[in-house]
Amino acid sequence: DSAPAQARLRNLHSIVYPPRWDMLRDLAERYARLGVVTSAAGIFEELELWDDVVECYRIAGREGRAEEVVRKRLSERETPRMWAALGDLTSDPSHF
């Protein structure tokens, strides 16, 4: 009823699968929407999506961990988003 394995394998490389990081990002976003934010943060951290990591830790009530991530990122590379995140976490307007 189906094609032989050799015929199916001949076309295997023409199938477009999403990249692994794209599938993991989708999984983490789904986790976050379901409220499994700590697991989502772990996946986002593996993917180095730092804004999402910080947001997940903030939602989970782990502001201390979120601030650690922000300060580490700022020591490696300063970005306006990380400064804004630090301002939100510390309620310090000088960081904005």
Side-chain angles (χ1 to χ4, degrees):
D1 293 288
S2 68
Q6 292 170 341
R8 291 188 308 239
L9 288 174
R10 208 172 324 147
N11 298 318
L12 178 68
H13 296 291
S14 63
I15 298 172
V16 180
Y17 286 107
R20 180 179 182 274
W21 64 266
D22 196 27
M23 291 177 17
L24 283 173
R25 182 180 189 166
D26 183 55
L27 176 64
E29 288 171 350
R30 289 171 190 252
Y31 276 177
R33 281 196 302 271
L34 291 171
V36 190
V37 290
T38 305
S39 295
I43 295 171
F44 283 133
E45 198 162 350
E46 178 184 332
L47 297 172
E48 298 182 7
L49 297 170
W50 303 114
D51 295 334
D52 296 315
V53 171
V54 170
E55 184 65 16
C56 284
Y57 282 135
R58 191 190 60 74
I59 291 170
R62 298 182 63 191
E63 285 86 4
R65 177 68 179 126
E67 187 176 342
E68 284 175 27
V69 170
V70 169
R71 290 190 185 277
K72 183 173 187 238
R73 296 306 308 155
L74 285 172
S75 70
E76 294 174 11
R77 180 171 171 248
E78 292 186 9
T79 64
R81 289 185 127 183
M82 283 296 116
W83 279 113
L86 184 61
D88 286 339
L89 290 166
T90 61
S91 300
D92 185 353
S94 67
H95 294 302
F96 291 104

